[in-house]
Amino acid sequence: MIEIDWAEEAGRLRASAAGEADWNAAVAASLVRDGDQVVADVGCGGGGMAKALAEALPAGTTVVAIDADPEVLEQARQHTAGLVRCELASMDAGAEPLRQAIAAPADLVWASASVHHAADQQAAIDALASLLAPGGRLALAEGGLPARHLPWDLGIGEPGLELRLDLAQDEWFKVMRESLPGSVPMPYGWTEALSRAGLTDVTTRSVLTETPAPLPTGRLDELVNQFRARIERMTGTGAGHAHGHGHGHGHGPVVTGDEEWLEPADLEVWRQLLDPEGQYYLGRRRDLAVLSVRSVHLGHAAR
């Protein structure tokens, strides 16, 4: 069983909001359009996209950042520094609390890596779609391709370490979904879910992000911390970790039971790779890179 403590993730989500500023700005610029008056980021995490949307829109546009956790929302409030209105509401409670938080039909609703935390993902998408003004857009950032950072052969352990971590993370995600009270399977893709919510002109655009090796020191440190957090997820230790199915809200897990996500030999390799005093510390390598492809699924409400 996996439970999620969002309060423990608040600081990491704030850091992610800052670290992904360029991606957020580029995507926000592609989503907004002339005439937008009300925009909402549901499941806003650290507020990165809410801030980017506010900066991409003219002064006077209402941008609302919504999250279900008070401590996460406080981090978003600090990060957005008065550019947006921050409201506490949960997607799990249906459309009405979200509607009250926004206080007007939305021209654009953004939800990044938050819908997959809803027990009934289709019901959550239906609720989000119901918040739209005529002709409004719902954009879901979910899925993409597993990011790549490490050489296949690290000179320690069996080659393909990052691939095995991705597989373990996928198994972890499956159990996380099954652990949600009242979990409902959604055996179809995001574009189909948007269509079932009554939206039209549904499409997907995937965005590639690449930072080649050698990474700048700050980016390298951030990447090492992301790997450390992912390993903490696999072992049920520590407070946080990097998100595995999209960016935005991560998972802050407490793992109970007998799950063993990684082989002991791989865990020992990760221990050495993440030890700043060790011979194989990732933070001293010059061959780590960032290559990720993230997908944004977009649907339009009828006019």
Side-chain angles (χ1 to χ4, degrees):
M1 179 178 177
I2 296 174
E3 299 175 355
I4 298 174
D5 187 341
W6 290 111
E8 290 188 350
E9 283 289 273
R12 188 193 64 77
L13 292 170
R14 170 77 178 276
S16 178
E20 296 178 352
D22 290 345
W23 189 90
N24 287 333
V27 174
S30 74
L31 289 174
V32 301
R33 65 186 184 192
D34 294 341
D36 284 345
Q37 294 296 313
V38 179
V39 172
D41 180 356
V42 180
C44 65
M49 181 55 79
K51 182 178 181 181
L53 290 167
E55 292 174 340
L57 289 161
T61 306
T62 297
V63 179
V64 186
I66 299 172
D67 204 275
D69 185 88
E71 294 190 38
V72 171
L73 192 66
E74 178 57 30
Q75 292 295 325
R77 183 176 289 110
Q78 293 179 24
H79 182 70
T80 54
L83 287 175
V84 311
R85 175 160 54 86
C86 295
E87 299 286 349
L88 189 68
S90 173
M91 194 186 308
D92 290 333
E96 192 54 35
L98 301 175
R99 187 173 291 111
Q100 292 180 13
I102 299 170
D107 299 298
L108 172 65
V109 172
W110 167 267
S112 174
S114 54
V115 172
H116 68 233
H117 291 292
D120 188 334
Q121 296 170 102
Q122 183 64 65
I125 294 171
D126 293 347
L128 294 174
S130 76
L131 306 174
L132 297 175
R137 294 93 66 212
L138 172 57
L140 306 178
E142 292 281 359
L145 298 176
R148 287 289 169 264
H149 309 94
L150 305 182
W152 180 70
D153 188 345
L154 290 162
I156 177 175
E158 290 294 318
L161 184 72
E162 190 172 18
L163 298 175
R164 294 193 296 279
L165 179 59
D166 289 338
L167 290 173
Q169 191 161 300
D170 198 59
E171 286 298 312
W172 184 96
F173 185 82
K174 175 178 177 289
V175 174
M176 185 278 292
R177 284 286 316 156
E178 292 172 345
S179 297
L180 293 171
S183 179
V184 177
M186 192 180 80
Y188 45 85
W190 296 105
T191 52
E192 174 65 16
L194 289 170
S195 296
R196 293 189 185 197
L199 303 180
T200 62
D201 299 323
V202 175
T203 188
T204 296
R205 182 171 69 94
S206 295
V207 182
L208 183 147
T209 302
E210 183 174 16
T211 306
L215 294 177
T217 300
R219 187 67 184 88
L220 180 59
D221 291 344
E222 179 185 344
L223 179 59
V224 172
N225 287 334
Q226 288 174 2
F227 274 120
R228 180 174 289 109
R230 290 174 69 182
I231 298 308
E232 288 172 352
R233 167 173 50 178
M234 296 295 99
T235 58
T237 62
H241 61 81
H243 191 278
H245 285 249
H247 293 247
H249 257 184
H251 318 283
V254 175
V255 181
T256 60
D258 299 323
E259 297 93 341
E260 292 184 0
W261 309 105
L262 291 168
E263 292 294 327
D266 280 352
L267 280 175
E268 173 57 24
V269 171
W270 281 112
R271 186 191 66 78
Q272 296 187 56
L273 293 175
L274 297 172
D275 179 5
E277 306 300 323
Q279 175 184 355
Y280 297 100
Y281 181 52
L282 289 177
R284 289 192 294 271
R285 295 189 69 121
R286 295 177 50 81
D287 55 358
L288 273 61
V290 176
L291 179 65
S292 73
V293 178
R294 297 157 62 183
S295 295
V296 177
H297 314 282
L298 185 67
H300 297 72
R303 290 190 179 276

